[in-house]
Amino acid sequence: MPKTPENSALPDHIAPSGPLDRLVDTARDYARAAASDNTLAAYGTDWKHFTRWCRAKGVDPLPPSSELIGLYLADLAAPRDAAPALSVATIERRLSGLVWNCAQRGQPLDRTDRHIASVLAGIRRKHARPPVQKDAILPDDILAMIATLGFDLRGLRDRAILLLGYAGALRRSEIVSLDVHKDDTPDAGGWVEIFDDGAVLTLNAKTGWREVEVGRGSSDRTCPVHALEHWLDFAKIEFGPIFTRTSRDGKRVLDARLSDKHVARLIKRCVLDAGLRADLPEKERLALYSGHSLRAGLASSAEVDERHVQKHLGHSSAEMTRQYQRRRDRFRVNLTKAAGL
């Protein structure tokens, strides 16, 4: 059996002992923490798909062969059977999953191998398309969405989620991973400190630890910090996860932390209830919005220097920030006129 993070153990030539066994458990926990649960689940799915494909072709998946990997990638891009062709982004993700899985099994796969790189470059050249971007939720949209929520505990919670997620330009996983204090729970992804002028969120984001400052709004109705305080006060949450489940009737707070899928479902439900893009069929309307619509909305609406938006979103480059800006002045810097034309 391969020594993956889930079953790693002492080398055969080292005798087990209590202290070493405890260190094995600690090392295993750290290895699991090297990637998110979602990433590990995706890598597991990638490996199952590849091994099924290998069985169907009558070949062994290990040791990894660059020629075999090239054939697999080509079949994903242009399948010979009735299976749908995968996008370039999904194919690249599948390759990352194979690299990770092969490494865990002591059979490293070099994705920069000339054959693999050439096949992947050809797939990109022939099949790459501009990324499909979700619509941004703009200020009027977010106001219409929170207006559809009630004032029971569930409504207070969901209002705080939408406003905090929007003003903080947070990923949905970052929203639900927040705790009241530092080190409240082992699975926390950050915590909140509330001040007179706003709140500071300390987040263990995908790019590392960062702080996000969320200032108070112009009115209690639209203020994300007030909405957060309102939820914490009425839900009597003083410790642990900030955003937890509620009973079906929305009147009781439960202990379990919300899943990030709740944020996605909440956004889509409020989009429909608020009548956003009512000119389109329901299926198309739902496809336009996702959790990233909150981040794109803040990036597109904040009338401040782009550097502040970049820092707020935690991007390492301005180019990445611009991908989130759905309505920016693309010609504010006019190089044509600057060149004398």
Side-chain angles (χ1 to χ4, degrees):
M1 179 179 290
K3 289 186 179 181
T4 64
E6 287 71 23
N7 60 27
S8 57
L10 289 171
D12 294 336
H13 66 277
I14 297 180
S17 67
L20 286 178
D21 287 343
R22 287 191 292 272
L23 284 176
V24 167
D25 292 337
T26 303
R28 185 181 297 124
D29 291 340
Y30 280 129
R32 289 196 189 103
S36 70
D37 291 341
N38 288 341
T39 298
L40 293 176
Y43 285 170
T45 300
D46 294 337
W47 186 249
K48 289 178 182 177
H49 185 274
F50 176 62
T51 53
R52 283 199 304 268
W53 183 88
C54 287
R55 285 197 300 270
K57 307 301 180 187
V59 296
D60 293 326
L62 293 173
S65 158
S66 59
E67 291 78 14
L68 181 64
I69 298 299
L71 293 176
Y72 175 66
L73 298 180
D75 200 25
L76 295 179
R80 299 296 181 183
D81 53 21
L86 299 185
S87 69
V88 174
T90 301
I91 292 172
E92 291 182 330
R93 210 289 317 286
R94 285 273 174 90
L95 178 57
S96 297
L98 296 187
V99 170
W100 186 89
N101 276 283
C102 288
Q104 304 309 309
R105 288 159 174 79
Q107 303 277 356
L109 171 63
D110 182 9
R111 67 179 301 156
T112 64
D113 174 90
R114 182 176 180 180
H115 182 75
I116 296 175
S118 296
V119 172
L120 193 57
I123 291 173
R124 288 195 194 104
R125 183 177 178 84
K126 188 170 182 179
H127 298 291
R129 298 288 184 273
V132 177
Q133 294 184 320
K134 298 297 183 180
D135 275 15
I137 293 175
L138 301 177
D140 289 344
D141 300 331
I142 195 72
L143 294 181
M145 290 169 67
I146 64 173
T148 67
L149 299 171
F151 290 91
D152 57 359
L153 285 172
R154 180 178 295 174
L156 294 179
R157 179 200 64 193
D158 289 347
R159 186 174 287 102
I161 286 175
L162 290 179
L163 288 173
L164 192 67
Y166 184 84
L170 305 179
R171 299 175 180 87
R172 63 187 196 183
S173 59
E174 294 171 344
I175 297 172
V176 299
S177 70
L178 287 170
D179 272 8
V180 178
H181 310 104
K182 181 181 179 182
D183 298 329
D184 274 0
T185 61
D187 62 337
W191 66 92
V192 178
E193 297 173 273
I194 299 178
F195 302 95
D196 291 342
D197 294 330
V200 175
L201 317 181
T202 303
L203 301 167
N204 188 7
K206 62 189 297 185
T207 55
W209 285 99
R210 66 188 179 99
E211 288 187 346
V212 175
E213 296 88 11
V214 177
R216 292 189 181 271
S218 55
S219 73
D220 287 348
R221 184 175 67 92
T222 62
C223 175
V225 182
H226 177 78
L228 176 61
E229 291 174 319
H230 216 44
W231 157 246
L232 293 174
D233 182 33
F234 278 85
K236 295 181 172 55
I237 295 178
E238 300 177 348
F239 181 88
I242 286 179
F243 295 114
T244 62
R245 299 176 184 273
T246 63
S247 59
R248 287 184 176 275
D249 60 9
K251 296 180 180 180
R252 289 186 298 108
V253 176
L254 307 179
D255 293 333
R257 186 189 302 274
L258 276 180
S259 161
D260 65 337
K261 294 179 181 178
H262 173 82
V263 180
R265 291 192 295 264
L266 172 64
I267 289 171
K268 292 181 181 295
R269 187 182 78 239
C270 289
V271 161
L272 291 180
D273 292 346
L276 304 189
R277 296 303 305 270
D279 56 309
L280 298 175
E282 179 176 311
K283 186 175 181 179
E284 292 183 28
R285 293 167 64 194
L286 292 176
L288 287 176
Y289 298 94
S290 72
H292 260 53
S293 295
L294 295 177
R295 281 169 65 79
L298 188 283
S300 303
S301 304
E303 300 292 340
V304 296
D305 189 290
E306 191 177 72
R307 292 173 298 175
H308 298 299
V309 180
Q310 179 184 337
K311 177 181 180 294
H312 200 70
L313 271 69
H315 290 154
S316 59
S317 69
E319 185 58 38
M320 176 59 73
T321 300
R322 293 188 189 109
Q323 294 180 22
Y324 283 76
Q325 294 172 322
R326 306 293 191 263
R327 58 171 196 181
R328 60 187 175 89
D329 184 359
R330 296 176 180 271
F331 303 103
R332 182 171 56 184
V333 178
N334 190 325
L335 293 182
T336 305
K337 291 181 179 178
L341 300 180

